[in-house]
């Protein structure tokens, strides 16, 4: 079996007294699209810069493609497509000149794939890069990251600044990339933008990973709402004693709302004797769960 593409153990980086990241554990497998999610300032770019050999870790370890990101930076960069959070390229050169430079440094001869990428993203390549808008810089950055068909892509907030159509195009490109057995690690502060494309995700908050799971797994564990309607008075205290019932509240006389996290069967068994006239269950809301992880003050274990 091919080995883990990105592996970190207790990766920590502090900036003087300021918290950067603390005990970050990540494992990204070959062919995966791995999402690294978290609000602004959570530590995504810091982690990514360590993976790209741009920052030293204070403690802990990181391997990228089996290599040491700092000692083997040249080889890591040769085999990786990196999109930085803030693209800084020769400001006076046009996009095309920047692409040419990168191509020659990387020993790329053909321009066919790169031209296709420019076309797909509608990247503006004839103007000096310093005149480009954030969105246009992002498109150029994506072409730079993908054009040498690297076996690993490390993309820091790739979808920010892309309009919805380009986000779709980007999602298609990701699928092509992993269908070819290559691996993608991408960060985002917006679950909506990436939940349909990532296979697995880790949520980082205040420098620490709070959960790592598949999108499906997260959905399974997300709390769901069950609403019951009664045409008679009911003592519902038995429901509160079921483990999976996190909360219950009468929203109207005759309407009881439950928040359920866990197996449903014991809940149904407790509901049946109460003889409701109707039952309505809402699918788990991933956004709510995600916001919960963003907000929660007590950190949860993965
Ligand atoms: N070069 C730096 N010097 C000082 N503090 C930094 C530096 N880089 C990042 N930080 C701090 O580390 C934390 C995480 O930042 P960052 O990794 O950029 O978050 P994200 O990319 O998730 O928005 C922030 O509190 C930020 O202020
Ligand atoms: Mg960042």
């Amino acid at each position: 079996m091919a080995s883990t593409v990105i592996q970190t153990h207790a990766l920590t980086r502090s900036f003087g007294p300021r918290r950067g990241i603390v005990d970050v554990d990540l494992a990204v497998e070959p062919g995966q699209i791995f999402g690294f999610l978290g609000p602004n300032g959570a530590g995504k770019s810091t982690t990514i810069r360590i993976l790209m050999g741009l920052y030293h870790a204070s403690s802990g370890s990181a391997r990228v493609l089996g290599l040491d990101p700092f000692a083997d930076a040249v080889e890591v960069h040769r085999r990786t497509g990196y999109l930085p959070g803030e693209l800084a390229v020769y400001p006076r050169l046009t996009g095309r000149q920047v692409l040419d430079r990168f191509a020659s440094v990387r020993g790329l001869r053909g321009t066919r794939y790169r031209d296709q990428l420019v076309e797909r993203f509608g990247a503006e390549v004839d103007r000096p890069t310093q005149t480009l808008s954030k969105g246009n810089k992002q498109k150029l950055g994506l072409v730079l990251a993908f054009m040498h068909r690297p076996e690993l892509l490390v993309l820091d907030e790739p979808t920010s600044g892309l309009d919805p159509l380009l986000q779709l195009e980007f999602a298609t490109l990701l699928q092509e990339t992993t269908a070819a057995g290559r691996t993608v690690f991408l960060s985002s502060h917006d679950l909506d933008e990436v939940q349909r494309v990532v296979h697995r995700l880790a949520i980082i908050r205040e420098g620490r990973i709070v959960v790592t799971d598949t999108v499906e797994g997260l959905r399974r564990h997300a709390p769901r709402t069950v609403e019951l309607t009664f045409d008679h008075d009911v003592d519902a205290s038995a429901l509160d004693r079921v483990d999976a019932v996190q909360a219950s509240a009468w929203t109207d006389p005759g309407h009881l709302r439950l928040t359920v996290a866990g197996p449903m069967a014991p809940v149904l068994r407790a509901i049946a004797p109460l003889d409701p006239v109707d039952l309505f269950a809402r699918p788990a809301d991933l956004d709510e769960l995600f916001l919960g992880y963003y907000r929660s003050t007590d950190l949860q274990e993965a």
Side-chain angles (χ1 to χ4, degrees), residues 4-9 11 21 26 46-57 59-80 82 152 154:
T4 304
V5 178
I6 294 176
Q7 180 101 59
T8 72
H9 287 297
L11 196 64
I21 57 168
L26 291 168
T46 301
T47 306
I48 287 175
R49 288 188 189 120
I50 295 172
L51 295 176
M52 291 289 94
L54 303 172
Y55 283 176
H56 260 304
S59 61
S61 67
R63 304 295 286 179
V64 176
L65 298 166
L67 302 163
D68 180 317
F70 217 87
D72 306 318
V74 173
E75 186 174 354
V76 169
H77 278 268
R78 189 172 56 73
R79 294 166 60 185
T80 304
Y82 170 48
L152 169 64
V154 176

mmCIF file of all heavy atoms in Angstrom, residues 4-9 11 21 26 46-57 59-80 82 152 154:
data_model
loop_
_atom_site.group_PDB
_atom_site.id
_atom_site.type_symbol
_atom_site.label_atom_id
_atom_site.label_comp_id
_atom_site.label_asym_id
_atom_site.label_seq_id
_atom_site.Cartn_x
_atom_site.Cartn_y
_atom_site.Cartn_z
ATOM 1 N N THR A 4 1.299 7.115 3.613
ATOM 2 C CA THR A 4 0.624 8.371 3.917
ATOM 3 C C THR A 4 1.357 9.550 3.275
ATOM 4 O O THR A 4 2.573 9.648 3.353
ATOM 5 C CB THR A 4 0.572 8.515 5.443
ATOM 6 O OG1 THR A 4 -0.063 7.352 5.960
ATOM 7 C CG2 THR A 4 -0.210 9.735 5.867
ATOM 8 N N VAL A 5 0.598 10.436 2.640
ATOM 9 C CA VAL A 5 1.206 11.526 1.868
ATOM 10 C C VAL A 5 1.614 12.692 2.776
ATOM 11 O O VAL A 5 2.687 13.265 2.621
ATOM 12 C CB VAL A 5 0.232 12.008 0.769
ATOM 13 C CG1 VAL A 5 0.831 13.162 -0.006
ATOM 14 C CG2 VAL A 5 -0.096 10.854 -0.165
ATOM 15 N N ILE A 6 0.716 13.023 3.714
ATOM 16 C CA ILE A 6 1.059 14.045 4.706
ATOM 17 C C ILE A 6 0.807 13.439 6.075
ATOM 18 O O ILE A 6 -0.253 12.862 6.327
ATOM 19 C CB ILE A 6 0.187 15.312 4.552
ATOM 20 C CG1 ILE A 6 0.480 16.020 3.229
ATOM 21 C CG2 ILE A 6 0.416 16.274 5.724
ATOM 22 C CD1 ILE A 6 -0.420 17.227 2.961
ATOM 23 N N GLN A 7 1.799 13.547 6.944
ATOM 24 C CA GLN A 7 1.646 12.991 8.291
ATOM 25 C C GLN A 7 2.261 13.969 9.280
ATOM 26 O O GLN A 7 3.434 14.322 9.147
ATOM 27 C CB GLN A 7 2.375 11.645 8.370
ATOM 28 C CG GLN A 7 2.277 10.981 9.723
ATOM 29 C CD GLN A 7 1.238 9.878 9.738
ATOM 30 O OE1 GLN A 7 1.329 8.934 8.974
ATOM 31 N NE2 GLN A 7 0.245 10.026 10.597
ATOM 32 N N THR A 8 1.473 14.417 10.243
ATOM 33 C CA THR A 8 2.050 15.245 11.304
ATOM 34 C C THR A 8 1.720 14.622 12.649
ATOM 35 O O THR A 8 0.691 13.975 12.817
ATOM 36 C CB THR A 8 1.509 16.702 11.293
ATOM 37 O OG1 THR A 8 0.148 16.707 11.744
ATOM 38 C CG2 THR A 8 1.580 17.318 9.908
ATOM 39 N N HIS A 9 2.643 14.802 13.590
ATOM 40 C CA HIS A 9 2.424 14.334 14.967
ATOM 41 C C HIS A 9 2.681 15.481 15.923
ATOM 42 O O HIS A 9 3.783 16.036 15.940
ATOM 43 C CB HIS A 9 3.384 13.181 15.308
ATOM 44 C CG HIS A 9 3.018 11.897 14.631
ATOM 45 N ND1 HIS A 9 1.835 11.247 14.869
ATOM 46 C CD2 HIS A 9 3.682 11.153 13.719
ATOM 47 C CE1 HIS A 9 1.785 10.151 14.133
ATOM 48 N NE2 HIS A 9 2.891 10.075 13.412
ATOM 49 N N LEU A 11 2.237 18.479 15.977
ATOM 50 C CA LEU A 11 2.906 19.617 15.354
ATOM 51 C C LEU A 11 2.505 20.907 16.072
ATOM 52 O O LEU A 11 1.325 21.203 16.240
ATOM 53 C CB LEU A 11 2.514 19.688 13.876
ATOM 54 C CG LEU A 11 3.393 20.560 12.985
ATOM 55 C CD1 LEU A 11 4.815 20.020 12.917
ATOM 56 C CD2 LEU A 11 2.794 20.644 11.586
ATOM 57 N N ILE A 21 -0.102 27.068 16.334
ATOM 58 C CA ILE A 21 -0.811 25.789 16.333
ATOM 59 C C ILE A 21 -0.270 24.907 17.458
ATOM 60 O O ILE A 21 0.879 25.055 17.870
ATOM 61 C CB ILE A 21 -0.687 25.048 14.986
ATOM 62 C CG1 ILE A 21 0.780 24.818 14.619
ATOM 63 C CG2 ILE A 21 -1.404 25.822 13.883
ATOM 64 C CD1 ILE A 21 0.971 23.835 13.456
ATOM 65 N N LEU A 26 -2.258 15.151 11.709
ATOM 66 C CA LEU A 26 -2.943 15.002 10.429
ATOM 67 C C LEU A 26 -2.414 13.769 9.723
ATOM 68 O O LEU A 26 -1.226 13.450 9.835
ATOM 69 C CB LEU A 26 -2.677 16.209 9.521
ATOM 70 C CG LEU A 26 -3.275 17.563 9.904
ATOM 71 C CD1 LEU A 26 -2.659 18.659 9.047
ATOM 72 C CD2 LEU A 26 -4.792 17.531 9.730
ATOM 73 N N THR A 46 -0.520 28.604 8.998
ATOM 74 C CA THR A 46 0.687 28.259 9.755
ATOM 75 C C THR A 46 1.044 26.791 9.527
ATOM 76 O O THR A 46 2.199 26.452 9.242
ATOM 77 C CB THR A 46 0.451 28.525 11.263
ATOM 78 O OG1 THR A 46 0.135 29.912 11.426
ATOM 79 C CG2 THR A 46 1.665 28.165 12.081
ATOM 80 N N THR A 47 0.058 25.911 9.648
ATOM 81 C CA THR A 47 0.289 24.477 9.416
ATOM 82 C C THR A 47 0.809 24.248 7.999
ATOM 83 O O THR A 47 1.789 23.523 7.791
ATOM 84 C CB THR A 47 -1.037 23.696 9.613
ATOM 85 O OG1 THR A 47 -1.583 24.007 10.889
ATOM 86 C CG2 THR A 47 -0.802 22.196 9.493
ATOM 87 N N ILE A 48 0.149 24.879 7.041
ATOM 88 C CA ILE A 48 0.523 24.672 5.639
ATOM 89 C C ILE A 48 1.937 25.187 5.370
ATOM 90 O O ILE A 48 2.714 24.551 4.650
ATOM 91 C CB ILE A 48 -0.523 25.340 4.720
ATOM 92 C CG1 ILE A 48 -1.817 24.513 4.749
ATOM 93 C CG2 ILE A 48 0.004 25.499 3.301
ATOM 94 C CD1 ILE A 48 -2.977 25.120 3.984
ATOM 95 N N ARG A 49 2.290 26.306 5.972
ATOM 96 C CA ARG A 49 3.644 26.838 5.757
ATOM 97 C C ARG A 49 4.698 25.896 6.328
ATOM 98 O O ARG A 49 5.787 25.766 5.782
ATOM 99 C CB ARG A 49 3.775 28.233 6.379
ATOM 100 C CG ARG A 49 3.009 29.271 5.575
ATOM 101 C CD ARG A 49 3.284 30.685 6.060
ATOM 102 N NE ARG A 49 2.377 31.601 5.399
ATOM 103 C CZ ARG A 49 1.493 32.375 6.030
ATOM 104 N NH1 ARG A 49 1.420 32.360 7.348
ATOM 105 N NH2 ARG A 49 0.697 33.170 5.347
ATOM 106 N N ILE A 50 4.380 25.231 7.425
ATOM 107 C CA ILE A 50 5.327 24.242 7.962
ATOM 108 C C ILE A 50 5.445 23.072 6.982
ATOM 109 O O ILE A 50 6.540 22.602 6.681
ATOM 110 C CB ILE A 50 4.887 23.743 9.356
ATOM 111 C CG1 ILE A 50 4.932 24.894 10.363
ATOM 112 C CG2 ILE A 50 5.774 22.587 9.822
ATOM 113 C CD1 ILE A 50 4.324 24.559 11.723
ATOM 114 N N LEU A 51 4.304 22.634 6.447
ATOM 115 C CA LEU A 51 4.325 21.513 5.494
ATOM 116 C C LEU A 51 5.146 21.866 4.252
ATOM 117 O O LEU A 51 5.727 21.003 3.610
ATOM 118 C CB LEU A 51 2.896 21.137 5.069
ATOM 119 C CG LEU A 51 1.990 20.596 6.173
ATOM 120 C CD1 LEU A 51 0.583 20.351 5.643
ATOM 121 C CD2 LEU A 51 2.579 19.309 6.757
ATOM 122 N N MET A 52 5.162 23.149 3.901
ATOM 123 C CA MET A 52 5.894 23.590 2.720
ATOM 124 C C MET A 52 7.312 24.066 3.055
ATOM 125 O O MET A 52 7.994 24.637 2.208
ATOM 126 C CB MET A 52 5.107 24.716 2.018
ATOM 127 C CG MET A 52 3.813 24.245 1.376
ATOM 128 S SD MET A 52 4.133 23.228 -0.106
ATOM 129 C CE MET A 52 4.105 21.585 0.551
ATOM 130 N N GLY A 53 7.739 23.849 4.294
ATOM 131 C CA GLY A 53 9.107 24.193 4.665
ATOM 132 C C GLY A 53 9.363 25.686 4.783
ATOM 133 O O GLY A 53 10.504 26.135 4.769
ATOM 134 N N LEU A 54 8.297 26.480 4.913
ATOM 135 C CA LEU A 54 8.465 27.931 4.993
ATOM 136 C C LEU A 54 8.577 28.404 6.447
ATOM 137 O O LEU A 54 9.133 29.466 6.719
ATOM 138 C CB LEU A 54 7.287 28.634 4.308
ATOM 139 C CG LEU A 54 7.088 28.222 2.840
ATOM 140 C CD1 LEU A 54 5.790 28.795 2.289
ATOM 141 C CD2 LEU A 54 8.269 28.684 2.001
ATOM 142 N N TYR A 55 8.011 27.630 7.371
ATOM 143 C CA TYR A 55 8.175 27.888 8.794
ATOM 144 C C TYR A 55 8.788 26.645 9.416
ATOM 145 O O TYR A 55 8.515 25.527 8.979
ATOM 146 C CB TYR A 55 6.819 28.078 9.500
ATOM 147 C CG TYR A 55 6.121 29.407 9.327
ATOM 148 C CD1 TYR A 55 4.856 29.591 9.885
ATOM 149 C CD2 TYR A 55 6.704 30.479 8.647
ATOM 150 C CE1 TYR A 55 4.182 30.790 9.756
ATOM 151 C CE2 TYR A 55 6.023 31.689 8.513
ATOM 152 C CZ TYR A 55 4.765 31.834 9.066
ATOM 153 O OH TYR A 55 4.081 33.009 8.947
ATOM 154 N N HIS A 56 9.587 26.867 10.451
ATOM 155 C CA HIS A 56 10.038 25.772 11.309
ATOM 156 C C HIS A 56 8.925 25.450 12.296
ATOM 157 O O HIS A 56 8.207 26.356 12.725
ATOM 158 C CB HIS A 56 11.254 26.227 12.131
ATOM 159 C CG HIS A 56 12.549 25.753 11.564
ATOM 160 N ND1 HIS A 56 12.818 24.429 11.340
ATOM 161 C CD2 HIS A 56 13.660 26.429 11.190
ATOM 162 C CE1 HIS A 56 14.041 24.313 10.847
ATOM 163 N NE2 HIS A 56 14.570 25.512 10.731
ATOM 164 N N ALA A 57 8.814 24.183 12.688
ATOM 165 C CA ALA A 57 7.920 23.837 13.785
ATOM 166 C C ALA A 57 8.643 24.117 15.099
ATOM 167 O O ALA A 57 9.869 24.016 15.166
ATOM 168 C CB ALA A 57 7.532 22.371 13.699
ATOM 169 N N SER A 59 7.786 22.337 17.848
ATOM 170 C CA SER A 59 7.968 20.945 18.261
ATOM 171 C C SER A 59 7.024 20.070 17.453
ATOM 172 O O SER A 59 6.188 20.574 16.712
ATOM 173 C CB SER A 59 7.715 20.776 19.770
ATOM 174 O OG SER A 59 6.391 21.146 20.072
ATOM 175 N N GLY A 60 7.167 18.766 17.622
ATOM 176 C CA GLY A 60 6.358 17.840 16.836
ATOM 177 C C GLY A 60 7.035 17.550 15.509
ATOM 178 O O GLY A 60 8.144 18.029 15.248
ATOM 179 N N SER A 61 6.374 16.739 14.680
ATOM 180 C CA SER A 61 7.017 16.348 13.429
ATOM 181 C C SER A 61 6.047 16.430 12.260
ATOM 182 O O SER A 61 4.831 16.372 12.431
ATOM 183 C CB SER A 61 7.551 14.914 13.545
ATOM 184 O OG SER A 61 6.453 14.024 13.656
ATOM 185 N N ALA A 62 6.609 16.587 11.081
ATOM 186 C CA ALA A 62 5.813 16.607 9.850
ATOM 187 C C ALA A 62 6.581 15.889 8.752
ATOM 188 O O ALA A 62 7.793 16.068 8.610
ATOM 189 C CB ALA A 62 5.527 18.051 9.437
ATOM 190 N N ARG A 63 5.885 15.023 8.010
ATOM 191 C CA ARG A 63 6.459 14.401 6.815
ATOM 192 C C ARG A 63 5.536 14.703 5.648
ATOM 193 O O ARG A 63 4.316 14.619 5.774
ATOM 194 C CB ARG A 63 6.557 12.877 6.967
ATOM 195 C CG ARG A 63 7.326 12.389 8.168
ATOM 196 C CD ARG A 63 8.787 12.728 8.142
ATOM 197 N NE ARG A 63 9.578 11.921 7.205
ATOM 198 C CZ ARG A 63 10.899 12.083 7.031
ATOM 199 N NH1 ARG A 63 11.542 13.024 7.693
ATOM 200 N NH2 ARG A 63 11.541 11.317 6.198
ATOM 201 N N VAL A 64 6.120 15.048 4.528
ATOM 202 C CA VAL A 64 5.346 15.295 3.313
ATOM 203 C C VAL A 64 5.958 14.436 2.210
ATOM 204 O O VAL A 64 7.165 14.534 1.961
ATOM 205 C CB VAL A 64 5.386 16.790 2.920
ATOM 206 C CG1 VAL A 64 4.656 17.014 1.607
ATOM 207 C CG2 VAL A 64 4.770 17.644 4.022
ATOM 208 N N LEU A 65 5.163 13.565 1.613
ATOM 209 C CA LEU A 65 5.661 12.613 0.614
ATOM 210 C C LEU A 65 6.829 11.814 1.191
ATOM 211 O O LEU A 65 7.792 11.490 0.498
ATOM 212 C CB LEU A 65 6.096 13.358 -0.661
ATOM 213 C CG LEU A 65 4.983 14.132 -1.379
ATOM 214 C CD1 LEU A 65 5.560 15.096 -2.403
ATOM 215 C CD2 LEU A 65 4.004 13.163 -2.041
ATOM 216 N N GLY A 66 6.745 11.545 2.481
ATOM 217 C CA GLY A 66 7.792 10.779 3.158
ATOM 218 C C GLY A 66 9.053 11.578 3.422
ATOM 219 O O GLY A 66 10.047 11.033 3.901
ATOM 220 N N LEU A 67 9.022 12.870 3.132
ATOM 221 C CA LEU A 67 10.223 13.697 3.242
ATOM 222 C C LEU A 67 10.086 14.704 4.380
ATOM 223 O O LEU A 67 8.986 14.995 4.841
ATOM 224 C CB LEU A 67 10.447 14.464 1.929
ATOM 225 C CG LEU A 67 10.585 13.618 0.669
ATOM 226 C CD1 LEU A 67 10.376 14.485 -0.571
ATOM 227 C CD2 LEU A 67 11.953 12.950 0.642
ATOM 228 N N ASP A 68 11.228 15.255 4.781
ATOM 229 C CA ASP A 68 11.247 16.316 5.775
ATOM 230 C C ASP A 68 11.024 17.646 5.050
ATOM 231 O O ASP A 68 11.816 18.021 4.188
ATOM 232 C CB ASP A 68 12.615 16.296 6.459
ATOM 233 C CG ASP A 68 12.747 17.379 7.520
ATOM 234 O OD1 ASP A 68 12.311 18.527 7.273
ATOM 235 O OD2 ASP A 68 13.301 17.091 8.582
ATOM 236 N N PRO A 69 9.939 18.346 5.374
ATOM 237 C CA PRO A 69 9.602 19.537 4.601
ATOM 238 C C PRO A 69 10.702 20.602 4.610
ATOM 239 O O PRO A 69 10.812 21.376 3.665
ATOM 240 C CB PRO A 69 8.338 20.086 5.274
ATOM 241 C CG PRO A 69 7.904 19.084 6.267
ATOM 242 C CD PRO A 69 8.982 18.057 6.433
ATOM 243 N N PHE A 70 11.493 20.650 5.665
ATOM 244 C CA PHE A 70 12.531 21.685 5.741
ATOM 245 C C PHE A 70 13.814 21.214 5.064
ATOM 246 O O PHE A 70 14.318 21.869 4.151
ATOM 247 C CB PHE A 70 12.794 22.049 7.203
ATOM 248 C CG PHE A 70 13.078 23.505 7.386
ATOM 249 C CD1 PHE A 70 12.049 24.414 7.569
ATOM 250 C CD2 PHE A 70 14.387 23.969 7.342
ATOM 251 C CE1 PHE A 70 12.313 25.769 7.714
ATOM 252 C CE2 PHE A 70 14.653 25.319 7.485
ATOM 253 C CZ PHE A 70 13.618 26.222 7.679
ATOM 254 N N ALA A 71 14.296 20.052 5.472
ATOM 255 C CA ALA A 71 15.569 19.555 4.936
ATOM 256 C C ALA A 71 15.445 19.187 3.458
ATOM 257 O O ALA A 71 16.381 19.370 2.683
ATOM 258 C CB ALA A 71 16.035 18.350 5.753
ATOM 259 N N ASP A 72 14.286 18.670 3.077
ATOM 260 C CA ASP A 72 14.090 18.217 1.691
ATOM 261 C C ASP A 72 13.178 19.168 0.918
ATOM 262 O O ASP A 72 12.436 18.738 0.024
ATOM 263 C CB ASP A 72 13.477 16.812 1.684
ATOM 264 C CG ASP A 72 14.291 15.824 2.515
ATOM 265 O OD1 ASP A 72 15.526 15.867 2.430
ATOM 266 O OD2 ASP A 72 13.679 15.026 3.244
ATOM 267 N N ALA A 73 13.237 20.460 1.264
ATOM 268 C CA ALA A 73 12.285 21.424 0.689
ATOM 269 C C ALA A 73 12.301 21.417 -0.838
ATOM 270 O O ALA A 73 11.250 21.528 -1.480
ATOM 271 C CB ALA A 73 12.578 22.825 1.213
ATOM 272 N N VAL A 74 13.480 21.281 -1.430
ATOM 273 C CA VAL A 74 13.558 21.359 -2.891
ATOM 274 C C VAL A 74 12.757 20.225 -3.523
ATOM 275 O O VAL A 74 11.943 20.447 -4.431
ATOM 276 C CB VAL A 74 15.032 21.324 -3.363
ATOM 277 C CG1 VAL A 74 15.103 21.220 -4.886
ATOM 278 C CG2 VAL A 74 15.756 22.574 -2.886
ATOM 279 N N GLU A 75 12.953 19.004 -3.004
ATOM 280 C CA GLU A 75 12.221 17.879 -3.587
ATOM 281 C C GLU A 75 10.719 17.969 -3.290
ATOM 282 O O GLU A 75 9.891 17.675 -4.154
ATOM 283 C CB GLU A 75 12.774 16.542 -3.087
ATOM 284 C CG GLU A 75 12.088 15.390 -3.817
ATOM 285 C CD GLU A 75 12.657 14.018 -3.510
ATOM 286 O OE1 GLU A 75 13.680 13.928 -2.804
ATOM 287 O OE2 GLU A 75 12.061 13.043 -3.998
ATOM 288 N N VAL A 76 10.378 18.398 -2.073
ATOM 289 C CA VAL A 76 8.958 18.547 -1.735
ATOM 290 C C VAL A 76 8.300 19.525 -2.713
ATOM 291 O O VAL A 76 7.225 19.267 -3.252
ATOM 292 C CB VAL A 76 8.774 19.015 -0.273
ATOM 293 C CG1 VAL A 76 7.322 19.422 -0.018
ATOM 294 C CG2 VAL A 76 9.186 17.909 0.692
ATOM 295 N N HIS A 77 8.960 20.648 -2.950
ATOM 296 C CA HIS A 77 8.371 21.652 -3.849
ATOM 297 C C HIS A 77 8.307 21.175 -5.291
ATOM 298 O O HIS A 77 7.396 21.523 -6.031
ATOM 299 C CB HIS A 77 9.111 22.986 -3.734
ATOM 300 C CG HIS A 77 8.637 23.795 -2.560
ATOM 301 N ND1 HIS A 77 7.633 24.718 -2.649
ATOM 302 C CD2 HIS A 77 8.994 23.740 -1.250
ATOM 303 C CE1 HIS A 77 7.404 25.237 -1.443
ATOM 304 N NE2 HIS A 77 8.217 24.654 -0.578
ATOM 305 N N ARG A 78 9.285 20.362 -5.692
ATOM 306 C CA ARG A 78 9.266 19.848 -7.060
ATOM 307 C C ARG A 78 8.067 18.929 -7.288
ATOM 308 O O ARG A 78 7.449 18.931 -8.349
ATOM 309 C CB ARG A 78 10.568 19.068 -7.328
ATOM 310 C CG ARG A 78 10.772 18.670 -8.781
ATOM 311 C CD ARG A 78 12.164 18.079 -9.014
ATOM 312 N NE ARG A 78 12.472 16.932 -8.167
ATOM 313 C CZ ARG A 78 11.959 15.722 -8.315
ATOM 314 N NH1 ARG A 78 11.123 15.482 -9.305
ATOM 315 N NH2 ARG A 78 12.268 14.737 -7.493
ATOM 316 N N ARG A 79 7.699 18.183 -6.241
ATOM 317 C CA ARG A 79 6.630 17.186 -6.391
ATOM 318 C C ARG A 79 5.271 17.686 -5.919
ATOM 319 O O ARG A 79 4.300 16.941 -5.920
ATOM 320 C CB ARG A 79 7.044 15.918 -5.617
ATOM 321 C CG ARG A 79 8.275 15.245 -6.232
ATOM 322 C CD ARG A 79 8.885 14.229 -5.303
ATOM 323 N NE ARG A 79 7.948 13.158 -4.954
ATOM 324 C CZ ARG A 79 8.217 12.184 -4.078
ATOM 325 N NH1 ARG A 79 9.395 12.152 -3.477
ATOM 326 N NH2 ARG A 79 7.320 11.250 -3.824
ATOM 327 N N THR A 80 5.230 18.947 -5.495
ATOM 328 C CA THR A 80 4.000 19.496 -4.928
ATOM 329 C C THR A 80 3.565 20.738 -5.697
ATOM 330 O O THR A 80 4.407 21.494 -6.176
ATOM 331 C CB THR A 80 4.239 19.881 -3.442
ATOM 332 O OG1 THR A 80 4.717 18.744 -2.752
ATOM 333 C CG2 THR A 80 2.964 20.375 -2.787
ATOM 334 N N TYR A 82 1.791 24.140 -4.844
ATOM 335 C CA TYR A 82 1.422 24.899 -3.642
ATOM 336 C C TYR A 82 0.740 26.204 -4.043
ATOM 337 O O TYR A 82 1.301 26.984 -4.813
ATOM 338 C CB TYR A 82 2.689 25.170 -2.828
ATOM 339 C CG TYR A 82 2.525 26.140 -1.679
ATOM 340 C CD1 TYR A 82 1.464 26.017 -0.781
ATOM 341 C CD2 TYR A 82 3.452 27.168 -1.470
ATOM 342 C CE1 TYR A 82 1.322 26.906 0.284
ATOM 343 C CE2 TYR A 82 3.322 28.058 -0.411
ATOM 344 C CZ TYR A 82 2.260 27.922 0.461
ATOM 345 O OH TYR A 82 2.123 28.797 1.510
ATOM 346 N N LEU A 152 1.089 15.848 -5.426
ATOM 347 C CA LEU A 152 0.398 16.408 -4.249
ATOM 348 C C LEU A 152 0.092 17.878 -4.486
ATOM 349 O O LEU A 152 0.944 18.628 -4.965
ATOM 350 C CB LEU A 152 1.290 16.260 -3.009
ATOM 351 C CG LEU A 152 0.823 17.026 -1.747
ATOM 352 C CD1 LEU A 152 -0.518 16.493 -1.240
ATOM 353 C CD2 LEU A 152 1.883 16.948 -0.653
ATOM 354 N N VAL A 154 -1.152 21.281 -2.423
ATOM 355 C CA VAL A 154 -1.381 21.891 -1.120
ATOM 356 C C VAL A 154 -1.918 23.287 -1.387
ATOM 357 O O VAL A 154 -1.198 24.153 -1.873
ATOM 358 C CB VAL A 154 -0.082 21.940 -0.291
ATOM 359 C CG1 VAL A 154 -0.319 22.676 1.024
ATOM 360 C CG2 VAL A 154 0.437 20.527 -0.025
#
